[in-house]
Amino acid sequence: MHRSVEFSMSCQTRHQVEQLTEAIIKIQDYLNNQPRRQKSYSNNSYVNKQTPRIQPLTEENLAKRLGVSEDSVREQRIKLPPPLFFAWCKGKDTSGIGWQFNAETGLYHPVT
């Protein structure tokens, strides 16, 4: 009986982690698609500026940006759940940008 309780809790915990992962990705997508405004002074008045967006990258270009091999990017993407892959990329990216993979496009998208 003890094993079935452990198994049940393990499945429940796994399901909760999957739900949290999906929620984090949705939040990151939402935040990444918001217009970014930067206030600056111009002739003593505020002017809104759009910050340039970083474009999605191929695996080859992401590897170059992170200073690792393509195999390393692929291995980490497969091995790690999306939030940890994001954190891994963010730690390697010189601008501190996290990246997530979009299976539909085959590209890596910046998540700031």
Side-chain angles (χ1 to χ4, degrees), residues 77 100-107 109:
R77 175 177 52 85
Q100 70 183 24
F101 181 70
N102 182 319
E104 290 179 17
T105 63
L107 298 174
H109 294 262

Side-chain angles (χ1 to χ4, degrees), residues 76-91:
Q76 295 302 315
R77 175 177 52 85
I78 292 168
K79 180 174 85 172
L80 298 173
L84 294 181
F85 178 74
F86 165 82
W88 179 81
C89 291
K90 189 172 183 169

Side-chain angles (χ1 to χ4, degrees), residues 2-20:
H2 182 66
R3 273 187 189 226
S4 68
V5 171
E6 268 183 32
F7 179 75
S8 174
M9 289 183 71
S10 173
C11 287
Q12 183 180 13
T13 302
R14 183 177 299 135
H15 180 68
Q16 288 172 332
V17 168
E18 288 171 359
Q19 285 181 320
L20 287 172

Side-chain angles (χ1 to χ4, degrees), residues 25-70:
I25 290 170
K26 286 179 183 177
I27 291 168
Q28 289 171 339
D29 283 341
Y30 173 79
L31 293 174
N32 195 41
N33 289 318
Q34 294 301 304
R36 304 198 189 266
R37 295 188 179 201
Q38 197 175 21
K39 292 181 180 176
S40 66
Y41 287 101
S42 175
N43 297 331
N44 293 331
S45 64
Y46 280 108
V47 177
N48 288 326
K49 293 182 182 177
Q50 292 281 64
T51 44
R53 295 263 174 139
I54 296 174
Q55 297 301 311
L57 299 176
T58 62
E59 195 162 79
E60 177 184 4
N61 288 333
L62 180 61
K64 287 177 186 175
R65 182 179 174 98
L66 301 181
V68 299
S69 69
E70 288 180 64

